[in-house]
Amino acid sequence: MGSRFKQGPQSPEDQKMSGKSESIVSLQYLRALAAAMVLFEHTGDKSEQVGNHILAFYRHGYTGVDVFFVISGFIMSFIFAKSPQGAASLADFCRRRFVRIMPLYWVLSLVALGIFLASPGSVNSSGGDTAVWKSFLLIPGEGERFLIANGWTLSYEMLFYAVFSLSFLATTKGLGFAAALLLVAVLGFAQSLGFFWPSPIVVEFSYGIAAYLLYRQLGPLLWSPVLMVLGAAGLIFQEVLVQTLPDARFLTAGLPAALLVYGAVSYEERLRGLPLRWLEKLGDSSYSMYLFHPFVLKAAGIVFAYAGLSRHGTWPEVFFWLATAVAVFGVSHLVYLYLEIPLIKLARRWFPSKARIASQTA
């Protein structure tokens, strides 16, 4: 596996701080795609609230979350494979995950809290009770939503990290991977045993682990293009799959996402040579975009309603929401450069590493 990637899967902020420029660009491109999918899904929701729902045809953007989950399983597996075993590595892995995810989330949650205190109806206006303290601790509740509504995915992400970290206590890498697969699968089906949380969607992290293990053994396949086509088609035609297998998102969206991830990684060397730095930058800032875009969409919705654009036909709405999407891309990259990276640097000084993990964090 190591020979297939020139450099361990560094996060963009780690590259900037270390002076290294290599990353798994195929996964960076997929991160950009996944973030854009979620953005346009939520843009459609906002256009339905304030206008004529010009994106009514776009019903599969939510599957960007499934792509994120599979990518996460893949990247954490790469990190684990390159890291030493033991409690010290476990602690450092958890520290790195915490530093990577929580600082930006907490800062933006504080912004959302300010908005909520000033105007409660402006937060989660599409429905649901807002849980303030649970938002900061990423503790889900039935019928409750976080200050940043799409933060619900981070509760699953952090749960996955906590469970996956136990793999560092296994005596061998093989046992560690086996334990991770088993524990994630058990978590995924906990709901069927009477627990309201977690959801079967957690199983999708295990797809990323499996994709990594298979790729390490098999590498790029001649039929990788077929995997990508099947994966993309599965994500696009979600309505058909959901009708066939209702309440089985971990199958209808998770499996196509896994196919897409495996196929994309198979083209790592080719993608690395393409002049798509703008797409890689979008992937760099995908986490910032994922958390920050609801703020921009909220503001855009207010401007849209104030200007009364719904009275002027379809095309003004189309141009308005396209301009909003471009604004999200640009502002999110600024948030990434001038907020996300500095926060990570600061958090690393507050929580210094006690063990050196061989690979950089994703």
Side-chain angles (χ1 to χ4, degrees), residues 57-333:
F57 64 92
Y58 185 74
R59 296 290 188 180
H60 55 271
Y62 66 89
T63 59
V65 171
D66 306 272
V67 175
F68 274 129
F69 282 2
V70 176
I71 290 174
S72 183
F74 191 102
I75 292 292
M76 295 308 108
S77 297
F78 190 97
I79 290 174
F80 175 67
K82 296 293 184 180
S83 304
Q85 296 296 104
S89 289
L90 182 156
D92 202 56
F93 173 84
C94 292
R95 181 197 68 88
R96 287 176 178 269
R97 295 298 93 211
F98 175 86
V99 166
R100 177 68 181 90
I101 297 297
M102 297 308 297
L104 180 64
Y105 173 72
W106 277 344
V107 168
L108 293 182
S109 291
L110 284 173
V111 174
L113 177 60
I115 296 172
F116 177 73
L117 293 176
S119 176
S122 297
V123 175
N124 290 324
S125 58
S126 60
D129 297 325
T130 301
V132 175
W133 69 270
K134 290 182 178 179
S135 295
F136 287 93
L137 298 180
L138 291 175
I139 299 175
E142 292 185 280
E144 296 178 318
R145 302 182 71 180
F146 294 151
L147 287 164
I148 300 177
N150 54 2
W152 67 270
T153 62
L154 299 184
S155 64
Y156 291 123
E157 192 83 26
M158 298 302 285
L159 177 65
F160 166 62
Y161 294 155
V163 170
F164 189 87
S165 69
L166 299 177
S167 300
F168 288 95
L169 299 180
T171 55
T172 67
K173 294 295 182 184
L175 286 176
F177 276 119
L181 286 168
L182 177 61
L183 290 172
V184 172
V186 169
L187 275 179
F189 292 102
Q191 196 175 74
S192 63
L193 301 176
F195 299 92
F196 85 91
W197 184 80
S199 162
I201 197 174
V202 173
V203 173
E204 295 177 358
F205 292 109
S206 68
Y207 297 165
I209 299 173
Y212 169 80
L213 293 173
L214 286 173
Y215 188 82
R216 186 171 67 173
Q217 295 297 320
L218 303 177
L221 302 172
L222 290 176
W223 33 281
S224 288
V226 177
L227 297 183
M228 293 189 68
V229 171
L230 289 176
L235 296 180
I236 292 171
F237 296 105
Q238 275 296 291
E239 290 189 16
V240 175
L241 294 178
V242 169
Q243 290 175 5
T244 305
L245 292 170
D247 301 319
R249 178 174 173 175
F250 67 99
L251 294 177
T252 60
L255 289 179
L259 295 177
L260 186 62
V261 167
Y262 193 104
V265 172
S266 298
Y267 284 93
E268 173 66 18
E269 293 303 320
R270 294 186 184 181
L271 290 173
R272 188 180 295 278
L274 294 179
L276 298 176
R277 179 55 186 157
W278 63 272
L279 188 58
E280 191 171 358
K281 286 185 177 181
L282 187 58
D284 293 349
S285 54
S286 58
Y287 182 55
S288 290
M289 183 167 73
Y290 184 71
L291 291 183
F292 193 72
H293 78 266
F295 295 91
V296 180
L297 291 181
K298 180 64 180 180
I302 293 173
V303 172
F304 184 96
Y306 182 79
L309 290 179
S310 60
R311 300 192 302 266
H312 299 287
T314 299
W315 285 111
E317 289 196 42
V318 170
F319 288 123
F320 177 85
W321 293 115
L322 282 176
T324 298
V326 172
V328 168
F329 296 149
V331 173
S332 296
H333 195 63

